[in-house]
Amino acid sequence: MIPQWLLYSIMTCISACVVFAFIASWLLLSPRRVSYEKTFKIGIQRGEIDERAFNSIKKEELFIPSYYGYKLHGMFFPVENGKKVVIIAHGITWSLFGSFKYVKMFQKRGFHVLLCDHRYHGLSGGKYTSYGFYEKDDLKAWIDYLEKRFGGNTFIGLLGESLGAASALELSKRDRRVKFCIADCSFSDFQSLLRIRLKMDFKLGIYPLIDFVNFIVKLKHGWSFPDISPIKGLEKTKTPILFIHGKEDTFIPLDMTLEMFRRKAGTKKLYLVPKAGHAEAFNTDPAGYEKKVIEFIQMIDQFVSSEKMKSY
C-alpha cells in the first residue's frame, strides 16, 4: 500500500506539471505581439520603410477568408501587366510592415508583391499562433485568391522570414503551384528548436516538459509539435529553394539551415550572411541580398524554360 504522504506528493507533482503545461502552452501560442501601428513606426525608425515612398506607392489593402473561419489581411503592391507574384511572410510577433523592405526589389523585376499578416498578427484574425501548422494553409488561401484574380498560369513564389520561412517551406512541400521558395532563417524542426531554446534561455535540459506541453496542445488544438517540421520530406520537394541565414543568428541556429540545404535535392542555393543576426540578413547586406535573390530568380526562369522545352 502506498503511504498517504507519498500519494499526496505524487498528486501534487502531477497537478503542478499540469498547471505548468497549461501556462507554458498559453505563453508559447500567445506570445506578446508588437501592434500593427508600432511595427510601422519601428520600420520607419530602422530605415526599412521610407514613409514618403510608402504613402505614394500604389497599393491595395486586402481581406480574404481563411479556411478556418477568421479573416486574413494583406497588402498588395501591383505592377503594370504583371503575371508574376511573390508572397512575403513575416516573422513571429511582427506584421506585414516588416516585409515592405523587399517590395522595390521584386517590383523592379516585374513582380506583383503581396505582403500578408499571419494569423494572430497584424490585422489578421486567429486566436493564437501555430508556428506554421495553420500558417501554411493561410498562404495556400492567398495562392487560391491570386489564381482567381490573375488566372491559373500565374507564376507565384514565396519569401519568408523565420516563422514565415517555416510556413513557406511547409507549403512548398505540398503545393506545386509554388514555383520557388526563399527561406530566410527558418527552423528545421519546431520541437528541436524548443529544446534548444529551453536549454539556452532557461538553462534547462528537462525535455519531457516539452512533451507534456505538446500533449496539452494536442489535446486543446488537435495538432502537435512534431507536425511542424520543414525538414521532413524536404528531399522529395521539387520546388527550387534559396536558403538564407545570418551567420550571427543566436535565436535559430545556422546549423538548421545547413541541415535543410543538405537534405534538399534538386534545384537549391545557399546564401550565408556574415555579421547578420536573426532576420537581419537583408538589413546587414541589402545589395548582396538582392544580388543573390535575383540570381536565384534568373536560375528559376532558366529552369522553367527548360521544363517547358521538355514538354514539347
PDB file of all heavy atoms in Angstrom, residues 76-97:
ATOM      1  N   PHE A  76      -1.334  44.558 -51.098  1.00  0.00           N
ATOM      2  CA  PHE A  76      -0.919  44.170 -52.448  1.00  0.00           C
ATOM      3  C   PHE A  76      -0.319  45.369 -53.174  1.00  0.00           C
ATOM      4  O   PHE A  76      -0.927  46.436 -53.238  1.00  0.00           O
ATOM      5  CB  PHE A  76      -2.129  43.632 -53.218  1.00  0.00           C
ATOM      6  CG  PHE A  76      -1.795  43.054 -54.563  1.00  0.00           C
ATOM      7  CD1 PHE A  76      -1.152  41.828 -54.679  1.00  0.00           C
ATOM      8  CD2 PHE A  76      -2.128  43.745 -55.723  1.00  0.00           C
ATOM      9  CE1 PHE A  76      -0.842  41.295 -55.920  1.00  0.00           C
ATOM     10  CE2 PHE A  76      -1.827  43.221 -56.964  1.00  0.00           C
ATOM     11  CZ  PHE A  76      -1.185  41.998 -57.069  1.00  0.00           C
ATOM     12  N   PHE A  77       0.888  45.165 -53.731  1.00  0.00           N
ATOM     13  CA  PHE A  77       1.602  46.209 -54.456  1.00  0.00           C
ATOM     14  C   PHE A  77       1.729  45.765 -55.920  1.00  0.00           C
ATOM     15  O   PHE A  77       2.561  44.907 -56.241  1.00  0.00           O
ATOM     16  CB  PHE A  77       2.977  46.444 -53.837  1.00  0.00           C
ATOM     17  CG  PHE A  77       2.923  46.910 -52.410  1.00  0.00           C
ATOM     18  CD1 PHE A  77       2.803  45.991 -51.373  1.00  0.00           C
ATOM     19  CD2 PHE A  77       2.984  48.254 -52.098  1.00  0.00           C
ATOM     20  CE1 PHE A  77       2.732  46.411 -50.051  1.00  0.00           C
ATOM     21  CE2 PHE A  77       2.930  48.688 -50.776  1.00  0.00           C
ATOM     22  CZ  PHE A  77       2.794  47.766 -49.751  1.00  0.00           C
ATOM     23  N   PRO A  78       0.905  46.308 -56.810  1.00  0.00           N
ATOM     24  CA  PRO A  78       0.872  45.819 -58.196  1.00  0.00           C
ATOM     25  C   PRO A  78       1.927  46.452 -59.093  1.00  0.00           C
ATOM     26  O   PRO A  78       2.499  47.509 -58.777  1.00  0.00           O
ATOM     27  CB  PRO A  78      -0.530  46.242 -58.652  1.00  0.00           C
ATOM     28  CG  PRO A  78      -0.778  47.515 -57.903  1.00  0.00           C
ATOM     29  CD  PRO A  78      -0.122  47.327 -56.555  1.00  0.00           C
ATOM     30  N   VAL A  79       2.187  45.788 -60.211  1.00  0.00           N
ATOM     31  CA  VAL A  79       2.985  46.339 -61.301  1.00  0.00           C
ATOM     32  C   VAL A  79       2.122  46.283 -62.560  1.00  0.00           C
ATOM     33  O   VAL A  79       1.105  45.589 -62.605  1.00  0.00           O
ATOM     34  CB  VAL A  79       4.299  45.549 -61.519  1.00  0.00           C
ATOM     35  CG1 VAL A  79       5.215  45.712 -60.327  1.00  0.00           C
ATOM     36  CG2 VAL A  79       4.018  44.066 -61.779  1.00  0.00           C
ATOM     37  N   GLU A  80       2.534  47.002 -63.600  1.00  0.00           N
ATOM     38  CA  GLU A  80       1.776  47.008 -64.844  1.00  0.00           C
ATOM     39  C   GLU A  80       1.965  45.699 -65.605  1.00  0.00           C
ATOM     40  O   GLU A  80       3.095  45.237 -65.793  1.00  0.00           O
ATOM     41  CB  GLU A  80       2.224  48.184 -65.726  1.00  0.00           C
ATOM     42  CG  GLU A  80       1.868  49.557 -65.160  1.00  0.00           C
ATOM     43  CD  GLU A  80       0.382  49.795 -65.086  1.00  0.00           C
ATOM     44  OE1 GLU A  80      -0.351  49.266 -65.953  1.00  0.00           O
ATOM     45  OE2 GLU A  80      -0.065  50.504 -64.158  1.00  0.00           O
ATOM     46  N   ASN A  81       0.866  45.110 -66.003  1.00  0.00           N
ATOM     47  CA  ASN A  81       0.877  43.940 -66.892  1.00  0.00           C
ATOM     48  C   ASN A  81       1.712  42.775 -66.353  1.00  0.00           C
ATOM     49  O   ASN A  81       2.382  42.071 -67.107  1.00  0.00           O
ATOM     50  CB  ASN A  81       1.378  44.325 -68.290  1.00  0.00           C
ATOM     51  CG  ASN A  81       0.542  45.428 -68.897  1.00  0.00           C
ATOM     52  OD1 ASN A  81      -0.680  45.399 -68.822  1.00  0.00           O
ATOM     53  ND2 ASN A  81       1.210  46.417 -69.489  1.00  0.00           N
ATOM     54  N   GLY A  82       1.702  42.580 -65.065  1.00  0.00           N
ATOM     55  CA  GLY A  82       2.493  41.502 -64.483  1.00  0.00           C
ATOM     56  C   GLY A  82       1.729  40.198 -64.367  1.00  0.00           C
ATOM     57  O   GLY A  82       0.532  40.190 -64.094  1.00  0.00           O
ATOM     58  N   LYS A  83       2.418  39.087 -64.582  1.00  0.00           N
ATOM     59  CA  LYS A  83       1.847  37.747 -64.378  1.00  0.00           C
ATOM     60  C   LYS A  83       2.655  36.966 -63.348  1.00  0.00           C
ATOM     61  O   LYS A  83       2.506  35.772 -63.203  1.00  0.00           O
ATOM     62  CB  LYS A  83       1.787  36.978 -65.699  1.00  0.00           C
ATOM     63  CG  LYS A  83       0.728  37.482 -66.661  1.00  0.00           C
ATOM     64  CD  LYS A  83      -0.693  37.223 -66.140  1.00  0.00           C
ATOM     65  CE  LYS A  83      -1.053  35.747 -66.200  1.00  0.00           C
ATOM     66  NZ  LYS A  83      -2.468  35.505 -65.784  1.00  0.00           N
ATOM     67  N   LYS A  84       3.530  37.694 -62.644  1.00  0.00           N
ATOM     68  CA  LYS A  84       4.340  37.068 -61.607  1.00  0.00           C
ATOM     69  C   LYS A  84       4.021  37.733 -60.265  1.00  0.00           C
ATOM     70  O   LYS A  84       3.877  38.949 -60.183  1.00  0.00           O
ATOM     71  CB  LYS A  84       5.831  37.211 -61.917  1.00  0.00           C
ATOM     72  CG  LYS A  84       6.268  36.568 -63.221  1.00  0.00           C
ATOM     73  CD  LYS A  84       7.781  36.640 -63.399  1.00  0.00           C
ATOM     74  CE  LYS A  84       8.251  38.064 -63.592  1.00  0.00           C
ATOM     75  NZ  LYS A  84       9.722  38.121 -63.875  1.00  0.00           N
ATOM     76  N   VAL A  85       3.915  36.906 -59.229  1.00  0.00           N
ATOM     77  CA  VAL A  85       3.612  37.421 -57.889  1.00  0.00           C
ATOM     78  C   VAL A  85       4.527  36.749 -56.875  1.00  0.00           C
ATOM     79  O   VAL A  85       4.755  35.536 -56.937  1.00  0.00           O
ATOM     80  CB  VAL A  85       2.145  37.132 -57.483  1.00  0.00           C
ATOM     81  CG1 VAL A  85       1.824  37.851 -56.172  1.00  0.00           C
ATOM     82  CG2 VAL A  85       1.165  37.543 -58.572  1.00  0.00           C
ATOM     83  N   VAL A  86       5.035  37.534 -55.939  1.00  0.00           N
ATOM     84  CA  VAL A  86       5.749  36.956 -54.801  1.00  0.00           C
ATOM     85  C   VAL A  86       4.962  37.292 -53.536  1.00  0.00           C
ATOM     86  O   VAL A  86       4.525  38.428 -53.341  1.00  0.00           O
ATOM     87  CB  VAL A  86       7.206  37.474 -54.713  1.00  0.00           C
ATOM     88  CG1 VAL A  86       7.276  38.975 -54.510  1.00  0.00           C
ATOM     89  CG2 VAL A  86       7.964  36.737 -53.599  1.00  0.00           C
ATOM     90  N   ILE A  87       4.735  36.281 -52.716  1.00  0.00           N
ATOM     91  CA  ILE A  87       4.063  36.445 -51.425  1.00  0.00           C
ATOM     92  C   ILE A  87       5.145  36.472 -50.347  1.00  0.00           C
ATOM     93  O   ILE A  87       6.002  35.581 -50.301  1.00  0.00           O
ATOM     94  CB  ILE A  87       3.089  35.293 -51.149  1.00  0.00           C
ATOM     95  CG1 ILE A  87       2.062  35.177 -52.277  1.00  0.00           C
ATOM     96  CG2 ILE A  87       2.391  35.493 -49.811  1.00  0.00           C
ATOM     97  CD1 ILE A  87       1.187  33.931 -52.170  1.00  0.00           C
ATOM     98  N   ILE A  88       5.101  37.482 -49.498  1.00  0.00           N
ATOM     99  CA  ILE A  88       6.143  37.633 -48.484  1.00  0.00           C
ATOM    100  C   ILE A  88       5.519  37.527 -47.096  1.00  0.00           C
ATOM    101  O   ILE A  88       4.542  38.212 -46.781  1.00  0.00           O
ATOM    102  CB  ILE A  88       6.891  38.968 -48.642  1.00  0.00           C
ATOM    103  CG1 ILE A  88       7.433  39.093 -50.074  1.00  0.00           C
ATOM    104  CG2 ILE A  88       8.022  39.062 -47.629  1.00  0.00           C
ATOM    105  CD1 ILE A  88       8.191  40.364 -50.335  1.00  0.00           C
ATOM    106  N   ALA A  89       6.085  36.640 -46.269  1.00  0.00           N
ATOM    107  CA  ALA A  89       5.544  36.336 -44.941  1.00  0.00           C
ATOM    108  C   ALA A  89       6.550  36.722 -43.858  1.00  0.00           C
ATOM    109  O   ALA A  89       7.723  36.352 -43.930  1.00  0.00           O
ATOM    110  CB  ALA A  89       5.200  34.850 -44.844  1.00  0.00           C
ATOM    111  N   HIS A  90       6.081  37.439 -42.855  1.00  0.00           N
ATOM    112  CA  HIS A  90       6.936  37.993 -41.808  1.00  0.00           C
ATOM    113  C   HIS A  90       7.214  36.985 -40.693  1.00  0.00           C
ATOM    114  O   HIS A  90       6.709  35.860 -40.694  1.00  0.00           O
ATOM    115  CB  HIS A  90       6.280  39.245 -41.221  1.00  0.00           C
ATOM    116  CG  HIS A  90       4.958  38.977 -40.570  1.00  0.00           C
ATOM    117  ND1 HIS A  90       4.841  38.509 -39.280  1.00  0.00           N
ATOM    118  CD2 HIS A  90       3.677  39.099 -41.024  1.00  0.00           C
ATOM    119  CE1 HIS A  90       3.578  38.365 -38.962  1.00  0.00           C
ATOM    120  NE2 HIS A  90       2.836  38.705 -40.015  1.00  0.00           N
ATOM    121  N   GLY A  91       7.978  37.433 -39.706  1.00  0.00           N
ATOM    122  CA  GLY A  91       8.347  36.588 -38.576  1.00  0.00           C
ATOM    123  C   GLY A  91       7.412  36.754 -37.389  1.00  0.00           C
ATOM    124  O   GLY A  91       6.479  37.562 -37.393  1.00  0.00           O
ATOM    125  N   ILE A  92       7.684  36.002 -36.329  1.00  0.00           N
ATOM    126  CA  ILE A  92       6.844  35.949 -35.142  1.00  0.00           C
ATOM    127  C   ILE A  92       6.768  37.310 -34.452  1.00  0.00           C
ATOM    128  O   ILE A  92       7.774  38.048 -34.403  1.00  0.00           O
ATOM    129  CB  ILE A  92       7.372  34.868 -34.151  1.00  0.00           C
ATOM    130  CG1 ILE A  92       6.365  34.585 -33.038  1.00  0.00           C
ATOM    131  CG2 ILE A  92       8.728  35.259 -33.588  1.00  0.00           C
ATOM    132  CD1 ILE A  92       5.238  33.719 -33.483  1.00  0.00           C
ATOM    133  N   THR A  93       5.594  37.655 -33.940  1.00  0.00           N
ATOM    134  CA  THR A  93       5.240  38.852 -33.172  1.00  0.00           C
ATOM    135  C   THR A  93       5.192  40.134 -33.999  1.00  0.00           C
ATOM    136  O   THR A  93       4.845  41.190 -33.480  1.00  0.00           O
ATOM    137  CB  THR A  93       6.184  39.107 -31.948  1.00  0.00           C
ATOM    138  OG1 THR A  93       7.441  39.608 -32.386  1.00  0.00           O
ATOM    139  CG2 THR A  93       6.355  37.846 -31.119  1.00  0.00           C
ATOM    140  N   TRP A  94       5.501  40.093 -35.279  1.00  0.00           N
ATOM    141  CA  TRP A  94       5.598  41.302 -36.101  1.00  0.00           C
ATOM    142  C   TRP A  94       4.365  41.431 -36.990  1.00  0.00           C
ATOM    143  O   TRP A  94       3.317  40.864 -36.723  1.00  0.00           O
ATOM    144  CB  TRP A  94       6.889  41.270 -36.910  1.00  0.00           C
ATOM    145  CG  TRP A  94       7.497  42.632 -37.079  1.00  0.00           C
ATOM    146  CD1 TRP A  94       7.649  43.345 -38.237  1.00  0.00           C
ATOM    147  CD2 TRP A  94       8.042  43.451 -36.050  1.00  0.00           C
ATOM    148  NE1 TRP A  94       8.249  44.554 -37.995  1.00  0.00           N
ATOM    149  CE2 TRP A  94       8.501  44.656 -36.651  1.00  0.00           C
ATOM    150  CE3 TRP A  94       8.165  43.311 -34.666  1.00  0.00           C
ATOM    151  CZ2 TRP A  94       9.081  45.701 -35.922  1.00  0.00           C
ATOM    152  CZ3 TRP A  94       8.743  44.344 -33.945  1.00  0.00           C
ATOM    153  CH2 TRP A  94       9.204  45.514 -34.567  1.00  0.00           C
ATOM    154  N   SER A  95       4.472  42.208 -38.062  1.00  0.00           N
ATOM    155  CA  SER A  95       3.372  42.375 -39.008  1.00  0.00           C
ATOM    156  C   SER A  95       3.936  42.470 -40.413  1.00  0.00           C
ATOM    157  O   SER A  95       5.154  42.443 -40.618  1.00  0.00           O
ATOM    158  CB  SER A  95       2.557  43.637 -38.686  1.00  0.00           C
ATOM    159  OG  SER A  95       3.185  44.792 -39.242  1.00  0.00           O
ATOM    160  N   LEU A  96       3.059  42.624 -41.378  1.00  0.00           N
ATOM    161  CA  LEU A  96       3.489  42.682 -42.775  1.00  0.00           C
ATOM    162  C   LEU A  96       4.399  43.870 -43.071  1.00  0.00           C
ATOM    163  O   LEU A  96       5.133  43.876 -44.075  1.00  0.00           O
ATOM    164  CB  LEU A  96       2.267  42.693 -43.705  1.00  0.00           C
ATOM    165  CG  LEU A  96       1.200  43.778 -43.575  1.00  0.00           C
ATOM    166  CD1 LEU A  96       1.628  45.135 -44.105  1.00  0.00           C
ATOM    167  CD2 LEU A  96      -0.073  43.344 -44.307  1.00  0.00           C
ATOM    168  N   PHE A  97       4.393  44.889 -42.213  1.00  0.00           N
ATOM    169  CA  PHE A  97       5.263  46.039 -42.446  1.00  0.00           C
ATOM    170  C   PHE A  97       6.742  45.654 -42.419  1.00  0.00           C
ATOM    171  O   PHE A  97       7.576  46.325 -43.015  1.00  0.00           O
ATOM    172  CB  PHE A  97       4.992  47.145 -41.425  1.00  0.00           C
ATOM    173  CG  PHE A  97       3.684  47.856 -41.641  1.00  0.00           C
ATOM    174  CD1 PHE A  97       2.763  47.961 -40.612  1.00  0.00           C
ATOM    175  CD2 PHE A  97       3.364  48.406 -42.878  1.00  0.00           C
ATOM    176  CE1 PHE A  97       1.553  48.608 -40.806  1.00  0.00           C
ATOM    177  CE2 PHE A  97       2.153  49.050 -43.084  1.00  0.00           C
ATOM    178  CZ  PHE A  97       1.245  49.159 -42.047  1.00  0.00           C
TER     179      PHE A  97
END
